[in-house]
DNA sequence: GATGTATATTCAATTTTCTGAATAGCAACA
DNA sequence: TGTTGCTATTCAGAAAATTGAATATACATC
Protein backbone atom coordinates (compact mmCIF):
# COMPACT_ATOMS: atom_id res chain seq x y z
CA UNK A 1 0.00 0.00 0.00
CA UNK A 2 3.05 2.23 0.05
CA UNK A 3 3.58 2.12 -3.71
CA UNK A 4 0.29 3.91 -4.32
CA UNK A 5 1.50 6.97 -2.46
CA UNK A 6 4.52 7.17 -4.71
CA UNK A 7 2.25 6.72 -7.74
CA UNK A 8 -0.10 9.49 -6.62
CA UNK A 9 2.84 11.78 -5.94
CA UNK A 10 4.10 11.08 -9.46
CA UNK A 11 0.69 11.80 -10.97
CA UNK A 12 0.73 15.25 -9.34
CA UNK A 13 3.07 16.24 -12.14
CA UNK A 14 0.47 15.28 -14.71
CA UNK A 15 -1.21 12.26 -16.21
CA UNK A 16 0.87 9.23 -17.11
CA UNK A 17 0.46 5.75 -18.51
CA UNK A 18 1.58 2.61 -16.73
CA UNK A 19 4.48 2.52 -19.12
CA UNK A 20 5.51 6.09 -18.27
CA UNK A 21 5.39 5.26 -14.58
CA UNK A 22 7.33 2.06 -15.09
CA UNK A 23 10.13 4.10 -16.60
CA UNK A 24 10.09 6.58 -13.75
CA UNK A 25 10.13 3.85 -11.13
CA UNK A 26 12.87 1.86 -12.82
CA UNK A 27 15.94 1.28 -10.66
CA UNK A 28 18.09 2.78 -13.35
CA UNK A 29 16.29 6.10 -13.20
CA UNK A 30 14.34 6.43 -9.95
CA UNK A 31 15.75 8.61 -7.24
CA UNK A 32 13.72 7.46 -4.25
CA UNK A 33 11.23 4.75 -5.12
CA UNK A 34 11.53 1.72 -7.37
CA UNK A 35 9.01 -0.72 -8.75
CA UNK A 36 8.53 -3.14 -11.60
CA UNK A 37 5.96 -2.71 -14.41
CA UNK A 38 3.96 -5.72 -13.24
CA UNK A 39 3.59 -4.26 -9.79
CA UNK A 40 2.60 -0.89 -11.15
CA UNK A 41 -0.08 -2.16 -13.51
CA UNK A 42 -1.63 -4.22 -10.78
CA UNK A 43 -1.59 -1.33 -8.33
CA UNK A 44 -3.03 1.03 -10.94
CA UNK A 45 -5.92 -1.38 -11.47
CA UNK A 46 -6.63 -1.44 -7.76
CA UNK A 47 -6.33 2.30 -7.41
CA UNK A 48 -8.73 2.85 -10.26
CA UNK A 49 -11.16 0.44 -8.59
CA UNK A 50 -10.93 2.48 -5.39
CA UNK A 51 -11.48 5.74 -7.21
CA UNK A 52 -8.08 7.25 -6.43
CA UNK A 53 -7.19 7.63 -10.10
CA UNK A 54 -9.10 7.59 -13.36
CA UNK A 55 -8.01 6.31 -16.75
CA UNK A 56 -8.70 7.51 -20.23
CA UNK A 57 -7.69 5.64 -23.37
CA UNK A 58 -5.47 7.50 -25.76
CA UNK A 59 -5.61 6.21 -29.31
CA UNK A 60 -2.25 6.32 -30.97
CA UNK A 61 -1.45 5.85 -34.58
CA UNK A 62 2.08 4.56 -34.67
CA UNK A 63 2.05 2.88 -31.30
CA UNK A 64 -0.32 0.62 -29.36
CA UNK A 65 -3.08 2.56 -27.63
CA UNK A 66 -2.48 3.39 -24.02
CA UNK A 67 -4.40 4.11 -20.85
CA UNK A 68 -3.41 7.37 -19.26
CA UNK A 69 -4.06 7.85 -15.57
CA UNK A 70 -4.71 11.00 -13.59
CA UNK A 71 -5.51 11.77 -9.97
CA UNK A 72 -9.13 12.11 -8.92
CA UNK A 73 -10.21 14.47 -6.14
CA UNK A 74 -10.38 11.40 -3.93
CA UNK A 75 -6.81 10.59 -4.84
CA UNK A 76 -5.70 14.12 -4.08
CA UNK A 77 -7.20 14.01 -0.65
CA UNK A 78 -5.73 10.56 0.03
CA UNK A 79 -2.36 11.99 -0.91
CA UNK A 80 -2.88 14.97 1.37
CA UNK A 81 -3.76 12.59 4.21
CA UNK A 82 -0.62 10.59 3.49
CA UNK A 83 1.59 13.66 3.92
CA UNK A 84 0.16 14.03 7.41
CA UNK A 85 1.03 10.53 8.54
CA UNK A 86 4.45 9.74 9.98
CA UNK A 87 6.89 8.45 7.38
CA UNK A 88 8.61 5.11 7.70
CA UNK A 89 12.37 5.26 7.93
CA UNK A 90 14.38 4.95 4.74
CA UNK A 91 14.77 1.37 3.60
CA UNK A 92 18.05 0.81 1.83
CA UNK A 93 19.24 -2.38 0.26
CA UNK A 94 22.49 -2.24 -1.53
CA UNK A 95 24.23 -5.42 -2.68
CA UNK A 96 27.26 -3.41 -3.69
CA UNK A 97 27.81 -2.45 -0.07
CA UNK A 98 27.30 -6.04 1.06
CA UNK A 99 30.00 -7.08 -1.39
CA UNK A 100 32.27 -4.35 -0.14
CA UNK A 101 31.63 -5.30 3.47
CA UNK A 102 32.80 -8.80 2.54
CA UNK A 103 35.70 -7.69 0.36
CA UNK A 104 38.33 -8.98 2.79
CA UNK A 105 37.08 -12.55 2.38
CA UNK A 106 35.93 -12.13 -1.19
CA UNK A 107 37.20 -11.38 -4.65
CA UNK A 108 38.70 -7.90 -4.40
CA UNK A 109 38.96 -7.46 -8.15
CA UNK A 110 35.29 -8.27 -8.68
CA UNK A 111 34.31 -5.86 -5.92
CA UNK A 112 36.43 -3.15 -7.51
CA UNK A 113 34.65 -3.71 -10.80
CA UNK A 114 31.25 -3.46 -9.13
CA UNK A 115 32.19 -0.12 -7.61
CA UNK A 116 33.38 1.19 -10.94
CA UNK A 117 30.14 0.10 -12.58
CA UNK A 118 28.19 1.84 -9.88
CA UNK A 119 30.14 5.01 -10.45
CA UNK A 120 29.41 4.80 -14.14
CA UNK A 121 25.75 4.47 -13.36
CA UNK A 122 25.97 7.43 -10.99
CA UNK A 123 27.40 9.53 -13.81
CA UNK A 124 24.54 8.51 -16.10
CA UNK A 125 21.99 9.32 -13.44
CA UNK A 126 23.56 12.69 -12.77
CA UNK A 127 23.40 13.53 -16.46
CA UNK A 128 19.75 12.54 -16.47
CA UNK A 129 18.98 14.57 -13.37
CA UNK A 130 20.73 17.54 -14.94
CA UNK A 131 18.47 17.32 -17.96
CA UNK A 132 15.37 17.15 -15.78
CA UNK A 133 16.64 20.13 -13.81
CA UNK A 134 17.15 22.18 -16.95
CA UNK A 135 13.63 21.32 -18.04
CA UNK A 136 12.25 22.49 -14.69
CA UNK A 137 14.29 25.68 -14.51
CA UNK A 138 13.53 26.76 -18.09
CA UNK A 139 16.56 29.01 -18.11
CA UNK A 140 15.90 30.56 -14.72
CA UNK A 141 18.32 30.40 -11.81
CA UNK A 142 17.47 28.19 -8.84
CA UNK A 143 16.48 31.22 -6.78
CA UNK A 144 14.23 32.58 -9.49
CA UNK A 145 12.66 29.19 -10.02
CA UNK A 146 11.95 28.67 -6.33
CA UNK A 147 10.50 32.17 -6.06
CA UNK A 148 8.20 31.78 -9.02
CA UNK A 149 6.98 28.21 -8.93
CA UNK A 150 4.23 26.79 -6.77
CA UNK A 151 5.64 23.34 -7.32
CA UNK A 152 8.78 22.80 -5.22
CA UNK A 153 8.41 19.12 -4.33
CA UNK A 154 9.89 17.60 -7.48
CA UNK A 155 12.78 20.06 -7.39
CA UNK A 156 13.67 19.21 -3.80
CA UNK A 157 13.57 15.46 -4.33
CA UNK A 158 15.60 15.85 -7.49
CA UNK A 159 18.13 17.85 -5.49
CA UNK A 160 18.36 14.92 -3.11
CA UNK A 161 18.99 12.54 -5.99
CA UNK A 162 21.70 14.79 -7.37
CA UNK A 163 23.50 15.11 -4.06
CA UNK A 164 23.26 11.37 -3.54
CA UNK A 165 24.86 10.53 -6.86
CA UNK A 166 27.53 13.19 -6.52
CA UNK A 167 28.44 11.74 -3.18
CA UNK A 168 28.46 8.24 -4.64
CA UNK A 169 31.13 9.38 -7.06
CA UNK A 170 33.22 11.06 -4.41
CA UNK A 171 33.02 8.09 -2.07
CA UNK A 172 33.63 5.62 -4.88
CA UNK A 173 36.81 7.43 -5.86
CA UNK A 174 38.13 7.24 -2.32
CA UNK A 175 37.25 3.56 -2.03
CA UNK A 176 38.98 2.67 -5.29
CA UNK A 177 42.12 4.49 -4.14
CA UNK A 178 42.12 2.58 -0.88
CA UNK A 179 41.52 -0.78 -2.55
CA UNK A 180 44.26 -0.05 -5.08
CA UNK A 181 46.78 0.86 -2.41
CA UNK A 182 45.92 -2.34 -0.61
CA UNK A 183 46.26 -4.47 -3.74
CA UNK A 184 49.66 -2.86 -4.47
CA UNK A 185 50.90 -3.60 -0.96
CA UNK A 186 49.73 -7.16 -1.23
CA UNK A 187 51.45 -7.98 -4.48
CA UNK A 188 54.70 -6.35 -3.31
CA UNK A 189 54.93 -8.70 -0.36
CA UNK B 1 17.92 -15.05 -0.79
CA UNK B 2 19.65 -11.70 -0.69
CA UNK B 3 19.40 -11.29 3.05
CA UNK B 4 21.68 -14.25 3.63
CA UNK B 5 24.56 -12.51 1.90
CA UNK B 6 24.20 -9.57 4.21
CA UNK B 7 24.07 -11.95 7.18
CA UNK B 8 27.21 -13.77 6.08
CA UNK B 9 29.00 -10.47 5.54
CA UNK B 10 28.01 -9.43 9.06
CA UNK B 11 29.26 -12.72 10.52
CA UNK B 12 32.69 -12.08 8.98
CA UNK B 13 33.20 -9.67 11.85
CA UNK B 14 32.63 -12.45 14.35
CA UNK B 15 29.87 -14.65 15.72
CA UNK B 16 26.54 -13.12 16.59
CA UNK B 17 23.12 -14.15 17.89
CA UNK B 18 19.87 -13.52 16.06
CA UNK B 19 19.26 -10.73 18.47
CA UNK B 20 22.63 -9.11 17.74
CA UNK B 21 21.92 -9.26 14.02
CA UNK B 22 18.42 -7.88 14.50
CA UNK B 23 19.95 -4.82 16.09
CA UNK B 24 22.46 -4.39 13.30
CA UNK B 25 19.80 -4.71 10.62
CA UNK B 26 17.36 -2.41 12.32
CA UNK B 27 16.39 0.64 10.27
CA UNK B 28 17.53 2.88 13.09
CA UNK B 29 21.09 1.55 12.99
CA UNK B 30 21.74 -0.17 9.67
CA UNK B 31 23.79 1.59 7.06
CA UNK B 32 23.06 -0.52 4.00
CA UNK B 33 20.71 -3.39 4.71
CA UNK B 34 17.61 -3.63 6.85
CA UNK B 35 15.57 -6.55 8.11
CA UNK B 36 13.19 -7.52 10.87
CA UNK B 37 13.98 -10.03 13.65
CA UNK B 38 11.37 -12.47 12.33
CA UNK B 39 12.93 -12.51 8.94
CA UNK B 40 16.40 -12.96 10.37
CA UNK B 41 15.55 -15.86 12.63
CA UNK B 42 13.84 -17.66 9.78
CA UNK B 43 16.75 -17.08 7.45
CA UNK B 44 19.26 -18.17 10.10
CA UNK B 45 17.36 -21.45 10.49
CA UNK B 46 17.50 -22.06 6.75
CA UNK B 47 21.15 -21.12 6.52
CA UNK B 48 22.01 -23.47 9.35
CA UNK B 49 20.10 -26.22 7.55
CA UNK B 50 22.15 -25.57 4.44
CA UNK B 51 25.41 -25.62 6.32
CA UNK B 52 26.34 -22.00 5.67
CA UNK B 53 26.47 -21.16 9.36
CA UNK B 54 26.68 -23.10 12.58
CA UNK B 55 25.14 -22.38 15.95
CA UNK B 56 26.34 -22.93 19.47
CA UNK B 57 24.25 -22.34 22.56
CA UNK B 58 25.66 -19.90 25.07
CA UNK B 59 24.31 -20.35 28.57
CA UNK B 60 23.79 -17.05 30.30
CA UNK B 61 23.09 -16.40 33.95
CA UNK B 62 21.26 -13.13 34.04
CA UNK B 63 19.67 -13.37 30.58
CA UNK B 64 17.92 -16.00 28.51
CA UNK B 65 20.31 -18.39 26.81
CA UNK B 66 21.13 -17.57 23.26
CA UNK B 67 22.25 -19.29 20.08
CA UNK B 68 25.35 -17.74 18.61
CA UNK B 69 26.02 -18.18 14.90
CA UNK B 70 29.28 -18.25 13.00
CA UNK B 71 30.28 -18.82 9.39
CA UNK B 72 31.26 -22.30 8.26
CA UNK B 73 33.82 -22.90 5.53
CA UNK B 74 30.89 -23.51 3.21
CA UNK B 75 29.46 -20.14 4.19
CA UNK B 76 32.78 -18.45 3.54
CA UNK B 77 33.00 -19.85 0.09
CA UNK B 78 29.37 -18.97 -0.66
CA UNK B 79 30.19 -15.42 0.40
CA UNK B 80 33.27 -15.39 -1.80
CA UNK B 81 31.14 -16.57 -4.73
CA UNK B 82 28.62 -13.83 -4.02
CA UNK B 83 31.29 -11.13 -4.28
CA UNK B 84 31.99 -12.38 -7.81
CA UNK B 85 28.42 -12.10 -9.02
CA UNK B 86 27.10 -8.81 -10.41
CA UNK B 87 25.36 -6.69 -7.78
CA UNK B 88 21.78 -5.56 -8.15
CA UNK B 89 21.26 -1.83 -8.27
CA UNK B 90 20.59 -0.02 -5.03
CA UNK B 91 16.97 -0.29 -3.91
CA UNK B 92 15.82 2.79 -2.06
CA UNK B 93 12.39 3.40 -0.67
CA UNK B 94 11.92 6.58 1.21
CA UNK B 95 8.46 7.70 2.28
CA UNK B 96 9.88 11.01 3.44
CA UNK B 97 10.83 11.81 -0.14
CA UNK B 98 7.41 10.73 -1.40
CA UNK B 99 5.87 13.14 1.10
CA UNK B 100 8.20 15.87 -0.02
CA UNK B 101 7.45 15.18 -3.66
CA UNK B 102 3.79 15.72 -2.81
CA UNK B 103 4.34 18.71 -0.55
CA UNK B 104 2.68 21.13 -2.95
CA UNK B 105 -0.63 19.30 -2.67
CA UNK B 106 -0.08 18.13 0.90
CA UNK B 107 0.35 19.43 4.41
CA UNK B 108 3.53 21.51 4.28
CA UNK B 109 3.84 21.76 8.06
CA UNK B 110 3.65 17.97 8.47
CA UNK B 111 6.26 17.47 5.76
CA UNK B 112 8.55 19.97 7.47
CA UNK B 113 8.20 18.04 10.72
CA UNK B 114 9.06 14.79 8.96
CA UNK B 115 12.23 16.31 7.57
CA UNK B 116 13.24 17.61 10.96
CA UNK B 117 12.69 14.19 12.50
CA UNK B 118 14.78 12.64 9.77
CA UNK B 119 17.57 15.09 10.47
CA UNK B 120 17.42 14.24 14.14
CA UNK B 121 17.75 10.59 13.25
CA UNK B 122 20.67 11.38 10.97
CA UNK B 123 22.43 13.07 13.87
CA UNK B 124 21.88 10.02 16.06
CA UNK B 125 23.17 7.70 13.37
CA UNK B 126 26.22 9.86 12.82
CA UNK B 127 27.01 9.75 16.53
CA UNK B 128 26.67 5.99 16.44
CA UNK B 129 28.86 5.66 13.37
CA UNK B 130 31.45 7.88 15.04
CA UNK B 131 31.58 5.54 18.03
CA UNK B 132 31.97 2.52 15.78
CA UNK B 133 34.74 4.32 13.90
CA UNK B 134 36.61 5.11 17.10
CA UNK B 135 36.38 1.48 18.10
CA UNK B 136 37.81 0.38 14.76
CA UNK B 137 40.61 2.95 14.70
CA UNK B 138 41.74 2.31 18.28
CA UNK B 139 43.43 5.70 18.44
CA UNK B 140 45.13 5.38 15.05
CA UNK B 141 44.62 7.81 12.20
CA UNK B 142 42.64 6.66 9.18
CA UNK B 143 45.85 6.25 7.16
CA UNK B 144 47.52 4.19 9.85
CA UNK B 145 44.44 2.05 10.26
CA UNK B 146 44.13 1.35 6.55
CA UNK B 147 47.81 0.53 6.32
CA UNK B 148 47.77 -1.87 9.24
CA UNK B 149 44.47 -3.69 9.04
CA UNK B 150 43.60 -6.57 6.78
CA UNK B 151 39.93 -5.79 7.26
CA UNK B 152 38.91 -2.74 5.24
CA UNK B 153 35.35 -3.72 4.24
CA UNK B 154 33.55 -2.61 7.37
CA UNK B 155 35.48 0.66 7.43
CA UNK B 156 34.55 1.51 3.83
CA UNK B 157 30.86 0.75 4.27
CA UNK B 158 30.86 2.74 7.48
CA UNK B 159 32.42 5.62 5.58
CA UNK B 160 29.55 5.40 3.14
CA UNK B 161 27.04 5.54 5.98
CA UNK B 162 28.75 8.57 7.47
CA UNK B 163 28.81 10.47 4.20
CA UNK B 164 25.19 9.60 3.57
CA UNK B 165 24.01 10.93 6.89
CA UNK B 166 26.16 14.04 6.68
CA UNK B 167 24.65 14.75 3.33
CA UNK B 168 21.16 14.14 4.72
CA UNK B 169 21.78 16.89 7.23
CA UNK B 170 23.14 19.30 4.66
CA UNK B 171 20.31 18.68 2.24
CA UNK B 172 17.70 18.78 5.01
CA UNK B 173 18.92 22.19 6.11
CA UNK B 174 18.59 23.55 2.59
CA UNK B 175 15.12 22.08 2.17
CA UNK B 176 13.88 23.54 5.45
CA UNK B 177 15.16 26.97 4.42
CA UNK B 178 13.35 26.74 1.10
CA UNK B 179 10.10 25.54 2.65
CA UNK B 180 10.30 28.30 5.27
CA UNK B 181 10.83 30.99 2.67
CA UNK B 182 7.88 29.65 0.77
CA UNK B 183 5.65 29.54 3.84
CA UNK B 184 6.64 33.14 4.68
CA UNK B 185 5.80 34.32 1.17
CA UNK B 186 2.47 32.55 1.31
CA UNK B 187 1.31 34.07 4.58
CA UNK B 188 2.40 37.54 3.51
CA UNK B 189 0.13 37.43 0.49
C1' DG C 1 4.55 -3.41 43.72
C1' DA C 2 3.89 -1.74 39.12
C1' DT C 3 5.71 -0.16 34.91
C1' DG C 4 8.94 0.20 31.47
C1' DT C 5 12.95 -1.32 29.04
C1' DA C 6 16.26 -4.70 27.32
C1' DT C 7 17.40 -9.44 26.17
C1' DA C 8 16.14 -13.43 23.23
C1' DT C 9 13.12 -15.94 20.22
C1' DT C 10 9.02 -17.87 17.69
C1' DC C 11 4.51 -18.38 15.11
C1' DA C 12 1.15 -17.43 11.59
C1' DA C 13 -1.22 -14.86 8.18
C1' DT C 14 -1.18 -11.53 4.94
C1' DT C 15 0.80 -8.42 1.71
C1' DT C 16 4.21 -7.17 -1.30
C1' DT C 17 7.72 -7.92 -4.41
C1' DC C 18 10.30 -10.42 -7.76
C1' DT C 19 11.04 -13.63 -11.60
C1' DG C 20 10.03 -15.27 -15.84
C1' DA C 21 7.37 -15.44 -19.02
C1' DA C 22 4.04 -13.95 -23.23
C1' DT C 23 1.71 -10.84 -26.70
C1' DA C 24 1.64 -7.35 -30.30
C1' DG C 25 2.61 -3.45 -33.37
C1' DC C 26 5.91 -0.60 -35.43
C1' DA C 27 10.63 1.46 -36.40
C1' DA C 28 15.43 1.35 -37.41
C1' DC C 29 19.33 -0.93 -39.05
C1' DA C 30 22.20 -4.15 -41.47
C1' DT D 1 14.41 -9.65 -44.87
C1' DG D 2 15.83 -10.75 -40.48
C1' DT D 3 17.10 -8.97 -35.98
C1' DT D 4 16.93 -5.99 -32.43
C1' DG D 5 14.76 -2.38 -29.75
C1' DC D 6 10.98 0.44 -28.09
C1' DT D 7 6.16 1.09 -26.85
C1' DA D 8 2.43 -0.92 -24.05
C1' DT D 9 0.44 -4.37 -21.16
C1' DT D 10 -0.80 -8.82 -18.82
C1' DC D 11 -0.46 -13.44 -16.36
C1' DA D 12 1.09 -16.77 -13.08
C1' DG D 13 3.88 -18.54 -9.59
C1' DA D 14 7.44 -18.25 -6.18
C1' DA D 15 9.99 -15.83 -2.85
C1' DA D 16 10.45 -12.35 0.45
C1' DA D 17 8.89 -8.90 3.57
C1' DT D 18 5.64 -7.01 6.72
C1' DT D 19 2.28 -7.10 10.44
C1' DG D 20 0.73 -8.47 14.57
C1' DA D 21 1.05 -11.06 17.76
C1' DA D 22 3.03 -14.11 22.03
C1' DT D 23 6.45 -15.90 25.51
C1' DA D 24 9.97 -15.60 29.17
C1' DT D 25 13.67 -13.57 32.14
C1' DA D 26 15.71 -9.74 34.48
C1' DC D 27 17.04 -5.11 35.63
C1' DA D 28 15.89 -0.34 36.72
C1' DT D 29 12.89 3.11 38.11
C1' DC D 30 8.88 5.34 40.06
Amino acid sequence: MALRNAVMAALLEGEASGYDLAKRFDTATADFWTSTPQQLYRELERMEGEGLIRARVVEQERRPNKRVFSLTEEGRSALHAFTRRPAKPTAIRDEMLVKLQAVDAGDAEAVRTTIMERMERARAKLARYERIRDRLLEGRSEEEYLRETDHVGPYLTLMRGRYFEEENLRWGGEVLAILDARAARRTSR
Side-chain angles (χ1 to χ4, degrees), chain A:
Chain A
M1 294 294 150
L3 174 57
R4 58 178 49 195
N5 299 312
V7 168
M8 292 187 289
L11 290 181
L12 266 186
E13 295 193 70
E15 54 177 20
S17 69
Y19 190 74
D20 295 331
L21 292 169
K23 275 189 291 183
R24 268 205 241 178
F25 285 86
D26 184 82
T27 42
T29 61
D31 50 344
F32 59 88
W33 205 273
T34 60
S35 179
T36 57
Q38 297 90 324
Q39 213 189 139
L40 279 164
Y41 282 107
R42 216 163 348 109
E43 189 68 17
L44 287 167
E45 281 303 313
R46 269 193 231 128
M47 290 169 75
E48 196 191 1
E50 293 174 39
L52 298 171
I53 56 177
R54 81 168 62 86
R56 71 189 178 88
V57 175
V58 174
E59 312 257 346
Q60 296 186 116
E61 287 198 1
R62 324 185 149 257
R63 314 231 156 271
N65 294 345
K66 59 182 175 182
R67 299 216 306 149
V68 175
F69 297 92
S70 52
L71 270 186
T72 59
E73 267 318 302
E74 216 181 318
R76 279 205 154 244
S77 82
L79 185 58
H80 186 97
F82 162 69
T83 65
R84 298 177 60 90
R85 288 198 296 275
K88 285 190 199 149
T90 317
I92 330 176
R93 290 210 165 108
D94 196 337
E95 285 200 351
M96 176 195 68
L97 290 173
V98 176
K99 286 177 71 169
L100 184 59
Q101 175 88 17
V103 68
D104 307 298
D107 183 322
E109 198 41 54
V111 174
R112 230 190 84 93
T113 303
T114 301
I115 290 168
M116 281 169 49
E117 283 164 1
R118 199 52 69 84
M119 287 172 77
E120 204 36 70
R121 179 169 273 218
R123 277 183 211 105
K125 277 202 179 190
L126 270 177
R128 209 179 142 270
Y129 291 159
E130 217 48 60
R131 280 196 302 277
I132 297 174
R133 185 164 182 254
D134 288 344
R135 211 169 56 222
L136 285 174
L137 293 183
E138 294 172 319
R140 294 166 288 185
S141 71
E142 178 173 301
E143 295 77 51
E144 281 179 300
Y145 171 76
L146 290 171
R147 222 180 308 121
E148 292 171 18
T149 190
D150 54 345
H151 209 171
V152 289
Y155 189 84
L156 297 177
T157 53
L158 182 67
M159 193 163 111
R160 184 57 227 279
R162 268 164 52 221
Y163 289 177
F164 181 69
E165 296 303 345
E166 278 167 9
E167 189 231 59
N168 264 338
L169 286 178
R170 197 169 61 84
W171 169 84
E174 289 183 46
V175 168
L176 287 181
I178 289 167
L179 290 181
D180 284 352
R182 218 171 111 76
R185 257 202 320 285
R186 291 213 153 183
T187 51
S188 72
R189 268 190 221 149

